[in-house]
Amino acid sequence: MKAVIFSEHGGPEVLRYTEVPEPPIGPNEVLVRVRACALNHLDLWIRRGMPGISIPLPHILGSDISGDVAKTGAEVSGVKTGEKVLLLPGISCGHCAQCAAGKDSQCRGYTLFGYMVDGGYAEYVKAPAVNVIPMPPNLSYEEAAAVPLVFLTAWHMLITRADLKPAEEVLVLGAGSGVGSAAIQIAKVTGARVIATAGSDEKLAKAKELGADETILHSRQDIAAEVKRLTNRRGVDVVFEHVGEVTWEKSIRSLAVGGRLVTCGATTGYEGKIDIRYLFTRQLSILGSYMGGKPELLAVLELVARRAVKPVIDKVFPLAQAAEAHRHLESREQFGKVVLRVP
Ligand SMILES: [Zn+2]
């Protein structure tokens, strides 16, 4: 089969479009003919290499996958050849207390397609049958691939971790990112008032189209000062963080008394300072979040099927141009998801 692989860590140039063997499947697995695979920042981190984490090489990236069922293992039931599907991006043991509670991403054995196992930058990918989910009928393959990771992450952050309520106000950082564009929509579905930030007027206009009530141009305006102005000096109940070092202190300063900061990433750096007195006197909560569980993705897909939320696609590249797609994502000029089409 055709696939994009890398055999050493480095820049986009290490990605090679080449021929590799089709993966054999076990009795409880399914072979999926990939039609689309969305990119995530995680792909960039894995390609570059992360200290202390050993990725099996050569490696196939890609966590967000849609396609057709090509083959099913002997023990698989409930999945049919030819069915249009998307894949739950997280793979877990399926047996531990966390898995049984639907908290897949807290499983000790948790990983993702394209992380410790091969992913969707290929014509075929093998998947545990439990990861296979029927595609919402109103979506293209590219749209279906643009849903799972970012909507699962945003749902887990806002609904499960931060417990966002309808009358509350939320600050969504980085509206142009995949996770930011998902967060605006999920926050609006709950009924919350959304303040979104982005680095250009064009992106802010798109954030408003997605439902943001107010916007902040973070390249020119001070986030915390603008939040105070827009909330009548109160601050927001929830800050949706994934930027990290550059925004951390401003994010904390943007919280109302009793506010919650929820974070799933640190794309600008890992060091965040906090004045502990400010934390306890204002009764703030800092919440970590990582991916989410299958029940949460199924909830999101229900909203997608009802057209209450929609995947936002920035640009589609053919699989063979994966390196170009990585450069595009690294440029941070996108609004929404960058997707590979697999012909
Ligand atoms: Zn488990």
Side-chain angles (χ1 to χ4, degrees):
M1 66 172 183
K2 291 285 186 204
V4 170
I5 66 166
F6 66 91
S7 305
E8 56 181 332
H9 293 288
E13 70 282 354
V14 300
L15 299 175
R16 282 191 300 127
Y17 181 65
T18 184
E19 194 77 31
V20 298
E22 192 180 292
I25 57 168
N28 292 302
E29 290 180 323
V30 168
L31 188 71
V32 173
R33 171 65 169 89
V34 181
R35 295 296 178 185
C37 182
L39 272 61
N40 289 288
H41 274 276
L42 179 68
D43 303 14
L44 308 180
W45 297 114
I46 296 170
R47 191 205 69 219
R48 292 171 192 151
M50 294 173 282
I53 297 173
S54 176
I55 303 292
L57 297 175
H59 186 64
I60 301 175
L61 290 166
S63 309
D64 270 331
I65 301 161
S66 69
D68 308 312
V69 174
K71 225 184 264 181
T72 59
E75 304 288 324
V76 174
S77 59
V79 179
K80 288 193 188 67
T81 305
E83 202 179 336
K84 287 183 169 187
V85 296
L86 56 82
L87 297 181
L88 173 70
I91 299 169
S92 62
C93 82
H95 304 293
C96 69
Q98 282 76 17
C99 284
K103 298 175 180 175
D104 321 0
S105 62
Q106 292 180 14
C107 174
R108 283 176 65 105
Y110 190 76
T111 191
L112 299 161
F113 289 106
Y115 194 2
M116 287 299 163
V117 299
D118 282 339
Y121 287 23
E123 283 182 307
Y124 292 92
V125 66
K126 70 169 180 174
V130 70
N131 283 70
V132 175
I133 298 171
M135 238 172 75
N138 52 332
L139 297 188
S140 67
Y141 288 115
E142 287 83 7
E143 288 170 325
V147 172
L149 200 142
V150 289
F151 275 93
L152 177 59
T153 298
W155 179 280
H156 190 64
M157 289 172 75
L158 291 175
I159 307 299
T160 308
R161 298 291 284 141
D163 194 21
L164 182 66
K165 297 283 197 305
E168 292 189 319
E169 295 177 295
V170 54
L171 172 68
V172 175
L173 297 182
S177 64
V179 80
S181 58
I184 291 171
Q185 297 184 69
I186 289 173
K188 285 311 289 182
V189 169
T190 70
R193 178 171 180 245
V194 177
I195 303 171
T197 81
S200 73
D201 288 322
E202 194 191 349
K203 286 185 182 181
L204 293 183
K206 288 182 179 168
K208 284 217 159 170
E209 280 170 33
L210 287 179
D213 299 282
E214 304 288 348
T215 56
I216 298 172
L217 186 63
H218 63 59
S219 50
R220 245 185 287 139
Q221 294 175 296
D222 180 80
I223 293 174
E226 274 302 293
V227 166
K228 288 285 159 68
R229 189 182 68 79
L230 292 167
T231 58
N232 199 19
R233 308 298 308 161
R234 197 182 75 92
V236 291
D237 304 284
V238 172
V239 174
F240 183 90
E241 245 292 348
H242 54 104
V243 181
E245 199 164 315
V246 165
T247 50
W248 186 256
E249 287 186 75
K250 290 184 192 310
S251 291
I252 289 167
R253 291 274 163 199
S254 300
L255 287 169
V257 171
R260 294 91 75 197
L261 182 154
V262 61
T263 181
C264 72
T267 47
T268 61
Y270 308 130
E271 300 291 330
K273 259 183 25 186
I274 186 161
D275 182 334
I276 297 167
R277 294 166 301 178
Y278 194 77
L279 180 69
F280 67 72
T281 57
R282 293 179 64 81
Q283 306 196 52
L284 307 177
S285 301
I286 295 183
L287 305 165
S289 188
Y290 183 64
M291 300 295 296
K294 186 173 179 181
E296 297 171 287
L297 181 58
L298 295 176
V300 166
L301 290 171
E302 181 59 37
L303 294 182
V304 172
R306 288 185 207 164
R307 301 175 197 273
V309 300
K310 57 170 191 191
V312 181
I313 293 180
D314 173 73
K315 199 167 174 188
V316 178
F317 291 84
L319 177 64
Q321 289 174 24
E324 208 42 56
H326 272 223
R327 286 187 193 100
H328 182 63
L329 185 60
E330 281 176 334
S331 77
R332 297 189 173 278
E333 275 161 19
Q334 83 281 359
F335 191 98
K337 299 295 288 176
V338 179
V339 182
L340 297 173
R341 180 185 290 126
V342 184

